[in-house]
């Protein structure tokens, strides 16, 4: 059986920067409120004429491929995590193939919101470990700005999210004790309605109506306090679970890269794990919450900042809509 390891990472962020002060002009909010409650200073929004979710995924993938020293034609399979695909269907992995010029290989979308990237990574890991594929692109990409209520009514959610993409190349390796050591995946649909977008969805018939648009059920709903409470419990729980099954302890982790949900969540997790601030990565101030894209973007930034070294023990973790939560442990 092979191991799988990340051989390339890459990110793509739209050029357009939207600061908290820009949001103040279109809704009743303030830079101080957003910074204090979320840690976010600015985020990126797409140019919708060019930067579709699949386009951004392809651009991030090109950078990951370059780092891995591979061509698009070397990729055997695509796993694309997003909640904001170009179309309601098909998934964004299909149009991304075309941007990369590799039609024909398998492409699968994963709809697990903030944990989508880690569900994708775990799936790719299994395909590689069983010998089915050698090189897989695992992509997270989101165009949130197309689906947010950018008025005072939607401010509790709209100020949190930003657009962008991140990607990794996961490759087979025969090196021992290298690459992905453990994946832990969880979900509890009891809480499906606490963080969701109802329409378009077949829960209603038809999937979307003028009434749904008027009532705003096409926009994300979040029970913020509930999400906060569950996130700060599940993040540490799943990180410790992954360490335990690898026979490792939190003290051995070099860097935790959590899904960038909210700085207050990240700080609460860091305190609960008893870690110093510098061992829990954060870049939410620059990009906001980019859902499925946040972990691969954060990995790329952490690498560029010199925070990841050969043989480091890296813990990736996420919590989000579903509720779903997950962790992967890697030896870099
Ligand atoms: N600007 C200004 N005021 C706002 C805004 C805004 N953007 N949004 C809400 N408010 C107001 C509310 O209307 C409320 O006003 P009121 O007291 O007059 O009724 C007041 O601020 C406080 O609202 P609360 O909901 O009580 O604010 P809270 O202190 O709970 O903070 C927050 C809200 C930041 C969302 C918090 O619940 C939180 O941190 N939740 C975690 C959820 C989260 O960050 N999720 C990330 C996305 S999901 C994921 O990735 C897992």
């Amino acid at each position: 059986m092979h191991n799988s390891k990340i051989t390339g990472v890459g990110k793509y962020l739209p050029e357009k920067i939207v600061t908290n002060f820009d949001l103040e002009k279109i809704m009743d909010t303030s830079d101080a409120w957003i910074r204090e409650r979320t840690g976010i200073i600015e985020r990126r929004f797409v140019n919708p004429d060019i930067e579709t979710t699949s386009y951004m995924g392809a651009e991030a993938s090109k950078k990951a491929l370059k780092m891995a020293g591979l061509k698009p034609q070397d990729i055997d399979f695509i796993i694309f995590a997003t909640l904001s695909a170009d179309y309601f269907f098909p998934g964004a992995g299909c149009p991304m193939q075309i941007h990369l010029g590799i039609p024909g290989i398998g492409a699968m979308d994963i709809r697990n919101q903030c944990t989508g990237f880690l569900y994708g990574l775990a799936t790719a890991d299994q395909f590689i470990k069983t010998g089915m594929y050698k090189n897989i692109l695992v992509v997270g990409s989101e165009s949130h700005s197309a689906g947010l209520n950018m008025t005072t009514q939607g401010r509790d959610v709209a100020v949190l999210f930003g657009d962008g993409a991140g990607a990794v190349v996961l490759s087979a390796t025969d090196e021992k004790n290298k690459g992905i050591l453990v994946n832990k995946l969880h979900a509890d649909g009891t809480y499906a309605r606490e963080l969701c977008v109802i329409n378009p969805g077949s829960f209603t018939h038809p999937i979307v109506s003028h009434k749904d648009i008027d009532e705003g059920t096409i926009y994300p709903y979040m029970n913020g306090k509930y999400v906060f409470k569950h996130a700060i419990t599940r993040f540490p729980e799943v990180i410790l679970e992954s360490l335990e099954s690898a026979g490792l302890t939190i003290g051995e982790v070099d860097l935790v890269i959590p899904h960038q949900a909210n700085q207050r969540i990240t700080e609460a997790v860091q305190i609960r794990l008893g870690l110093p601030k510098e061992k829990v990565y954060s870049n939410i101030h620059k990009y906001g919450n980019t859902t499925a894209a946040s972990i691969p973007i954060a990995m790329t930034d952490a690498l560029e900042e010199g925070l990841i070294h050969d043989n480091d023990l890296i813990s990736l973790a996420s919590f989000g809509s579903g509720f779903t939560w997950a962790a992967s442990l890697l030896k870099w």
Side-chain angles (χ1 to χ4, degrees), residues 29 33 37 114 155-156 222 224-225 259 262 264 289 319:
T29 190
W33 194 99
R37 312 280 174 128
C114 303
R155 66 183 177 174
D156 60 327
M222 177 178 71
K225 288 194 172 77
H259 159 54
N262 178 327
R264 290 204 313 192
N289 181 333
F319 173 87

Side-chain angles (χ1 to χ4, degrees), residues 304-326:
E304 285 172 4
E305 290 163 30
L307 300 175
I308 301 178
H309 314 94
D310 204 25
N311 285 319
D312 274 0
L313 185 64
I314 309 291
S315 169
L316 309 176
S318 192
F319 173 87
S321 163
F323 289 153
T324 54
W325 59 105

Side-chain angles (χ1 to χ4, degrees), residues 158-179:
V159 301
L160 287 169
F161 292 97
D163 301 339
V168 304
V169 176
L170 197 70
S171 303
T173 176
D174 289 324
E175 289 174 274
K176 301 282 172 237
N177 195 27
K178 198 77 175 167

Side-chain angles (χ1 to χ4, degrees), residues 46-278:
V46 293
N47 170 353
D49 293 335
I50 305 165
E51 292 161 321
T52 59
T53 296
S54 66
Y55 171 88
M56 292 194 293
E59 291 302 304
S61 296
K62 285 177 194 168
K63 291 179 186 140
L65 283 161
K66 191 169 176 211
M67 180 177 157
L70 297 176
K71 294 191 276 302
Q73 290 70 23
D74 297 319
I75 293 297
D76 305 309
F77 193 68
I78 291 167
I79 299 182
F80 200 115
T82 186
L83 62 71
S84 51
D86 306 18
Y87 311 112
F88 188 67
F89 72 84
C94 295
M96 189 183 83
Q97 276 188 334
I98 307 311
H99 292 301
L100 291 175
I102 46 172
I105 63 166
M108 173 169 94
D109 269 35
I110 295 213
R111 284 184 57 165
N112 274 61
Q113 300 66 248
C114 303
T115 53
F117 179 77
L118 291 186
Y119 268 74
L121 196 66
T123 308
D125 181 42
Q126 298 307 305
F127 278 139
I128 287 174
K129 284 195 168 130
T130 57
M132 187 160 170
Y133 297 123
K134 279 206 176 77
N135 296 303
I136 301 180
L137 269 174
V138 186
V139 181
S141 179
E142 305 284 4
S143 306
H144 283 310
S145 57
L148 297 171
N149 181 351
M150 300 300 293
T151 69
T152 298
Q153 212 186 3
R155 66 183 177 174
D156 60 327
V157 173
V159 301
L160 287 169
F161 292 97
D163 301 339
V168 304
V169 176
L170 197 70
S171 303
T173 176
D174 289 324
E175 289 174 274
K176 301 282 172 237
N177 195 27
K178 198 77 175 167
I180 298 185
L181 306 179
V182 176
N183 300 294
K184 294 288 173 191
L185 307 176
H186 294 280
D188 185 348
T190 312
Y191 306 104
R193 285 285 189 131
E194 304 301 339
L195 179 54
C196 65
V197 177
I198 293 175
N199 295 109
S202 57
F203 187 81
T204 59
H205 223 283
I207 58 170
V208 66
S209 65
H210 290 291
K211 183 169 154 278
D212 299 325
I213 294 169
D214 293 343
E215 289 178 357
T217 53
I218 56 163
Y219 297 120
Y221 164 78
M222 177 178 71
N223 181 342
K225 288 194 172 77
Y226 215 72
V227 169
F228 186 85
K229 201 177 85 183
H230 282 255
I232 63 170
T233 306
R234 295 307 195 182
F235 262 112
E237 191 181 273
V238 74
I239 290 170
L240 295 176
E241 183 195 1
S242 65
L243 284 162
E244 195 186 337
S245 55
L248 297 164
T249 61
I250 191 70
E252 292 171 87
V253 173
D254 293 293
L255 189 65
V256 176
I257 302 180
H259 159 54
Q260 305 291 301
N262 178 327
Q263 187 57 22
R264 290 204 313 192
I265 292 176
T266 299
E267 279 169 13
V269 170
Q270 172 233 319
I271 290 165
R272 284 183 174 215
L273 288 171
L275 289 172
K277 262 191 173 163
E278 59 275 13

